Amino acid sequence: ALAALLRQLWTHKARGASIEIHLGDGKLLIPDVYANPAAHPDYALFAVREANGSHTVTAIAWAAIQRIALRQLPEPPKDLFG
């Protein structure tokens, strides 16, 4: 369920929104790339672009995600709020 919601929210990133992944340990991840490989349905893969231009890829268990925030929207998304 959370994977499907994140896929839907992620479509707004292409329109300029920012996505924040809040983890249960209080950490925050602001990813640039997201993948949910079928071979690993319990985990999501996120990539973050570092200041030097390289990328860091992190696998996070869905159960570790406490909250997902979609920021920098000009208005509430109609696909979510009708």
Side-chain angles (χ1 to χ4, degrees), residues 2-43:
L2 191 57
L5 178 59
L6 182 55
R7 276 193 303 275
Q8 186 176 8
L9 294 174
W10 197 264
T11 64
H12 295 279
K13 186 162 176 50
R15 299 179 209 148
S18 174
I19 293 183
E20 297 177 350
I21 308 295
H22 296 261
L23 305 176
D25 60 5
K27 292 189 176 159
L28 171 67
L29 181 71
I30 303 174
D32 297 300
V33 181
Y34 156 69
N36 181 213
H40 301 285
D42 295 333
Y43 293 86

Side-chain angles (χ1 to χ4, degrees), residues 3 34-46 58-63 65:
Y34 156 69
N36 181 213
H40 301 285
D42 295 333
Y43 293 86
L45 293 177
F46 298 98
T58 305
I60 297 176
W62 289 111
I65 297 174

Side-chain angles (χ1 to χ4, degrees), residues 45-63:
L45 293 177
F46 298 98
V48 176
R49 184 180 193 109
E50 303 294 342
N52 66 4
S54 67
H55 287 83
T56 298
V57 175
T58 305
I60 297 176
W62 289 111

